[in-house]
Amino acid sequence: GQQVMQIPQYQHVQEGEDFTTYCNSSTTLSNIQWYKQRPGGHPVFLIQLVKSGEVKKQKRLTFQFGEAKKNSSLHITATQTTDVGTYFCAGPGDNYGQNFVFGPGTRLSVLP
Amino acid sequence: EADIYQTPRYLVIGTGKKITLECSQTMGHDKMYWYQQDPGMELHLIHYSYGVNSTEKGDLSSESTVSRIRTEHFPLTLESARPSHTSQYLCASSMGQWGNTEAFFGQGTRLTVV
């Protein structure tokens, strides 16, 4: 089945520093979604990317979908302690879009 | 706020017991999913459903079973709990084909088998 990988697995940053997590797939993705899970919480949807080369912004968060639709990135500018959590990308789990698979996630720690 | 509910939130149970984790959603979503997640780790898909009377196994081998008799209800049953089943179980739902809408997650059930 479909697999997506993420790097890095962990990232520790000082508050105010930037942060980027990368998501990669061996096959072309029809679309990709990003979720955030706070410690002790459940994943919450952030955004969906569909078009090749698409870039979307949410305040300090910038999401990008690669031209080949095999990779994606999430960049956070000037991290804050509220950004702490695990960021997951997720793609279609089969060709029919009947389920989806998550990447292993990147756990972000922000030191005040 | 998502209308998807899981009960119980926490459960401590002895080895060999049969347990059912409940998941209900009031959004009319056709797709429902069960994920297993150890704290801070990957989400592993264990079961999913396209709709009423459909169930499929996910990528993670599981000793659990599911049923989907009603659109809104997708319970997960462990016939004989073991310590290796200790984990968090997350239920999610979505509408239509993947990519058309987001997935909504319940708050999870933290299961401890002693």
Side-chain angles (χ1 to χ4, degrees):
Chain A
Q2 181 67 272
Q3 285 190 334
V4 291
M5 301 306 298
Q6 275 184 263
I7 54 170
Q9 187 176 0
Y10 302 94
Q11 185 78 58
H12 305 278
V13 299
Q14 204 73 36
E15 189 172 19
E17 292 181 341
D18 292 356
F19 158 76
T20 304
T21 174
Y22 301 91
C23 182
N24 296 289
S25 169
S26 57
T27 59
T28 301
L29 301 169
S30 58
N31 60 81
I32 196 160
Q33 296 184 356
W34 285 91
Y35 291 78
K36 176 184 178 181
Q37 184 177 23
R38 294 182 186 276
H42 58 278
V44 175
F45 175 81
L46 292 176
I47 209 160
Q48 175 178 284
L49 303 171
V50 179
K51 298 177 183 176
S52 169
E54 188 171 14
V55 177
K56 287 188 176 180
K57 293 190 175 184
Q58 291 179 349
K59 297 182 180 178
R60 294 178 295 104
L61 277 61
T62 302
F63 304 84
Q64 189 164 5
F65 203 8
E67 294 290 342
K69 301 182 74 174
K70 289 186 175 182
N71 55 73
S72 181
S73 65
L74 158 58
H75 179 81
I76 302 178
T77 303
T79 55
Q80 300 175 359
T81 54
T82 53
D83 295 325
V84 166
T86 302
Y87 293 84
F88 294 96
C89 61
D94 61 33
N95 291 331
Y96 306 101
Q98 298 287 18
N99 66 68
F100 50 101
V101 291
F102 283 82
T106 295
R107 194 185 305 183
L108 173 64
S109 298
V110 179
L111 305 174
Chain B
E1 193 70 22
D3 296 319
I4 179 165
Y5 309 99
Q6 289 186 243
T7 57
R9 289 290 310 279
Y10 303 92
L11 180 61
V12 180
I13 200 163
T15 298
K17 298 291 186 183
K18 177 179 179 179
I19 57 171
T20 297
L21 308 184
E22 301 289 347
C23 177
S24 295
Q25 50 94 7
T26 58
M27 297 173 282
H29 286 172
D30 54 350
K31 308 283 193 308
M32 294 190 75
Y33 315 85
W34 275 104
Y35 287 87
Q36 183 178 341
Q37 184 188 37
D38 291 329
M41 303 300 285
E42 293 184 57
L43 290 152
H44 295 286
L45 180 66
I46 49 176
H47 294 284
Y48 62 100
S49 168
Y50 303 147
V52 172
N53 293 326
S54 95
T55 61
E56 300 288 339
K57 291 195 173 190
D59 295 329
L60 181 66
S61 174
S62 173
E63 292 156 339
S64 58
T65 58
V66 291
S67 63
R68 189 87 183 275
I69 299 172
R70 303 197 316 266
T71 297
E72 62 270 21
H73 194 213
F74 192 41
L76 177 80
T77 298
L78 279 169
E79 291 293 332
S80 179
R82 296 212 302 262
S84 60
H85 294 138
T86 295
S87 189
Q88 174 167 248
Y89 293 84
L90 287 161
C91 180
S93 71
S94 67
M95 189 66 184
Q97 194 174 37
W98 167 253
N100 290 345
T101 63
E102 69 207 70
F104 292 90
F105 282 82
Q107 293 190 308
T109 294
R110 293 185 187 274
L111 173 66
T112 302
V113 183
V114 298

